[in-house]
Amino acid sequence: MQPTSPALADAPERARRSRRKQARPGELLDAALALFVEKGFAATRVEEVAARAGVSKGTLFLYFASKEELFKAVVRENASRHLAEALRELEGFNGPSADLLREFLRRWWLLYGGTPAAGLTKLMLSEAAHFPELAQWFQDEVVQPSHELLRRIVQRGIDRGEFRPVDVPRVVHLIVAPLVQMVTWRLTLGHCCPYTHEDQPMALIDLHADLLIRGLTP
């Protein structure tokens, strides 16, 4: 029987290290999201993020040049990419605009509002005044695209005669406001004062969609 060569013997370990290296950016983003939401942007140190992800500070800087770039990567991973996917899907949707609006609201909760990523909204509300440039970036990266998506859904319904003519930008604010309220309550007062029907958030989402669609229907 031929002895195993050192290179072959070390192959499983090299494969494990390779998989570990590939997983690091995701692990760093998960750790950063948890710490940013838990402690705030200012109080979170990159050393803490690296330690929670199980890597060195130097390893973190191999992937992200600064704490600001790390935060932006967290936002892109947990919010921006979902918006980009939704905008692409909007182009190919052929069904009623009411179904499109309802689906947007349900997916918002499943992919963002009901996940740890929703803490980003709370974070920006509390720290925007201290980091105005970062807040403006968040506005451009997340808030405006989400409003644009909703504007296009409502305008689509108006153009197709499915929705009555309305002031679209104001309607968008009316759509978004209860969603932001759900998130901020869940992550603040919800810890001590449970929200009514908190155990059935999707029921609230569906009711919100139903009221909106009935109000928009000619």
Side-chain angles (χ1 to χ4, degrees):
M1 181 176 180
Q2 294 292 331
T4 303
S5 70
L8 289 177
D10 191 45
E13 178 61 21
R14 289 201 308 273
R16 186 191 68 79
R17 289 198 298 267
S18 176
R19 289 194 299 271
R20 175 77 177 119
K21 184 177 181 180
Q22 292 171 0
R24 281 172 184 162
E27 292 170 353
L28 285 164
L29 293 177
D30 290 343
L33 172 63
L35 283 165
F36 284 142
V37 172
E38 176 187 326
K39 302 184 66 173
F41 180 80
T44 297
R45 296 181 295 115
V46 291
E47 294 90 337
E48 296 175 291
V49 175
R52 183 168 292 197
V55 302
S56 68
K57 178 181 175 181
T59 298
L60 184 150
F61 283 122
L62 289 176
Y63 297 100
F64 309 104
S66 65
K67 186 167 75 168
E68 288 77 11
E69 289 304 312
L70 176 61
F71 175 79
K72 290 179 179 180
V74 168
V75 172
R76 292 189 182 106
E77 173 63 21
N78 290 279
S80 303
R81 69 182 181 91
H82 298 311
L83 286 168
E85 290 168 4
L87 282 165
R88 285 194 298 270
E89 291 176 15
L90 173 61
E91 297 298 329
F93 188 81
N94 295 316
S97 300
D99 291 350
L100 192 58
L101 179 56
R102 183 177 286 105
E103 179 64 14
F104 170 84
L105 294 173
R106 291 179 67 86
R107 286 180 60 175
W108 172 85
W109 180 262
L110 293 172
L111 298 177
Y112 184 80
T115 74
L120 293 169
T121 297
K122 169 181 170 286
L123 172 66
M124 295 313 303
L125 288 172
S126 62
E127 300 218 30
H130 303 293
F131 300 95
E133 292 183 0
L134 208 57
Q136 183 61 57
W137 178 86
F138 188 83
Q139 177 83 2
D140 296 338
E141 183 76 14
V142 177
V143 177
Q144 289 300 330
S146 63
H147 283 212
E148 175 60 22
L149 176 58
L150 284 168
R151 278 195 293 269
R152 289 171 64 178
I153 292 173
V154 175
Q155 189 62 56
R156 178 185 188 272
I158 294 171
D159 294 342
R160 291 162 58 104
E162 299 167 337
F163 295 159
R164 62 189 178 86
V166 292
D167 185 323
V168 177
R170 288 180 177 171
V171 167
V172 168
H173 281 288
L174 291 175
I175 294 172
V176 171
L179 306 181
V180 174
Q181 194 267 351
M182 284 180 69
V183 164
T184 52
W185 188 290
R186 179 171 69 84
L187 296 173
T188 55
L189 293 175
H191 295 298
C192 62
C193 311
Y195 191 72
T196 304
H197 303 306
E198 188 183 50
D199 59 333
Q200 296 180 320
M202 196 56 75
L204 286 175
I205 292 290
D206 287 341
L207 178 58
H208 181 40
D210 184 62
L211 292 173
L212 286 168
I213 291 166
R214 287 175 180 271
L216 288 168
T217 301

